[in-house]
Amino acid sequence: MSISDGLLILAATPIGDPRDASARLALELQRADVVAAEDTRRLHRLCSDLEVKPVGSVLAYHEHNEAGRTAELVERMRTGARVLLVTDAGMPSVSDPGFRLVEAAAAADVRVTCIPGPSAVPVALAVSGLPVDRFCFEGFLPRKPGERARALANLAAEQRTMVFFEAPHRTQVTLAAMAAVFGAERRAALCRELTKTYEEVRRGSLAELAQWAQNEVRGEVTLVVEGAPARRAAPSEVVEEVLEQVAEGVRLKDACKAASASWGCSTKELYDLAVARQRASRM
């Protein structure tokens, strides 16, 4: 084989129902020289469901070993190996391992291709009932309250529909934080266990969903949140909103930047006014 024969194939795997697996995925599982899997146990379960058996070597490739294993896989491809990369569910690189390997393969002039298929992001968008003509994917928000508040403040003016992943035990806290920053009435959809037996999609305001999520939330969660409306206001009309975000732990500079983008007013004027209000309140 020549070096040009080497190939990296990113393959989407079912996010719930194994029947969503493509015929191409089943074929490549049987012909790849190497199958790199986020969790080899889940891979074997998928292969059992599809009634296929990998003929090549199977190895683990996940966030804890990808730094070291990437070089090994690239070297295999440089010598002609056909490498198939799969994650536990959905598309590799989309909030899952894969980007590092694609980057390294491209740098080594190894051809990279993809087997399209299931992904929670477009599925959640499709069933959300929110606009999907323009959207952005934000993955998981930071776990620490202050960092999470700052991340949300930076998104306060985002006019595209936003998609987030979240752990079930943090869903209520995240929805409450979104309601505090984006506004309690902002529309959203909570998509749980997509394509699985107990699939559930709840639509409502952020406040309503946060209230519902006070009960135990189970399963994989994808949140779809409506983008901010285009609007304009003077700094004097926005300053109280900024100070409320600061009280929630957002840095004044970040809150002013987000609010000015959202309301179309001067960041400097808003910052100066907020500082003046803070000083006055201490007197």
Side-chain angles (χ1 to χ4, degrees):
M1 288 184 178
S2 66
I3 291 178
S4 61
D5 290 325
L7 177 66
L8 171 62
I9 306 168
L10 308 177
T13 54
I15 59 176
D17 193 328
R19 292 172 297 181
D20 292 333
S22 71
R24 283 186 62 201
L25 171 61
L27 176 64
E28 289 298 343
L29 284 168
Q30 296 176 89
R31 66 186 299 205
D33 299 305
V34 181
V35 179
E38 185 177 8
D39 186 327
T40 56
R41 293 169 299 181
R42 291 198 181 191
L43 171 66
H44 289 308
R45 285 199 295 270
L46 176 61
C47 288
S48 177
D49 289 333
L50 300 181
E51 298 182 344
V52 300
K53 184 176 182 180
V55 296
S57 58
V58 174
L59 53 83
Y61 184 82
H62 45 69
E63 62 178 336
H64 302 298
N65 73 353
E66 63 178 334
R69 184 139 282 176
T70 293
E72 173 189 343
L73 290 173
V74 170
E75 186 56 33
R76 293 284 296 272
M77 289 183 283
R78 282 176 56 84
T79 57
R82 189 181 190 91
V83 174
L84 179 70
L85 176 64
V86 296
T87 58
D88 291 347
M91 180 62 69
S93 296
V94 182
S95 198
D96 278 326
F99 167 74
R100 189 192 295 266
L101 183 56
V102 173
E103 182 181 42
D109 202 26
V110 171
R111 190 162 73 91
V112 180
T113 189
C114 179
I115 298 176
S119 172
V121 176
V123 173
L125 281 164
V127 301
S128 69
L130 296 171
V132 298
D133 54 331
R134 297 175 65 243
F135 65 89
C136 61
F137 173 59
E138 295 295 328
F140 286 91
L141 288 167
R143 297 183 182 184
K144 296 182 179 179
E147 293 178 4
R148 180 173 56 237
R150 286 192 289 274
L152 290 173
N154 287 333
L155 293 170
E158 176 57 67
Q159 295 183 20
R160 295 172 294 180
T161 298
M162 296 169 281
V163 184
F164 301 85
F165 287 162
E166 191 50 279
H169 64 280
R170 291 196 299 269
T171 298
Q172 195 280 329
V173 172
T174 294
L175 286 167
M178 287 177 172
V181 176
F182 296 158
E185 298 306 312
R186 182 80 71 89
R187 293 187 300 162
L190 189 160
C191 306
R192 188 180 70 83
E193 293 290 88
L194 289 171
T195 77
K196 299 178 183 177
T197 302
Y198 298 104
E199 176 180 290
E200 181 177 21
V201 179
R202 286 192 167 268
R203 306 173 185 87
S205 69
L206 286 170
E208 291 169 341
L209 293 177
Q211 176 68 28
W212 176 83
Q214 287 183 342
N215 299 316
E216 185 179 8
V217 178
R218 295 183 178 182
E220 302 288 337
V221 173
T222 304
L223 299 174
V224 185
V225 183
E226 182 180 35
R231 50 190 180 173
R232 298 190 67 83
S236 59
E237 299 175 285
V238 183
V239 66
E240 291 301 326
E241 175 184 314
V242 167
L243 293 175
E244 288 175 5
Q245 290 190 20
V246 171
E248 293 287 335
V250 181
R251 289 195 312 168
L252 178 58
K253 182 178 179 181
D254 293 332
C256 288
K257 182 179 179 181
S260 63
S262 178
W263 290 99
C265 57
S266 166
T267 302
K268 183 179 186 305
E269 290 180 13
L270 184 55
Y271 181 87
D272 291 343
L273 182 57
V275 170
R277 290 285 184 89
Q278 288 179 323
R279 288 174 178 170
S281 67
R282 300 190 190 105
M283 294 181 179

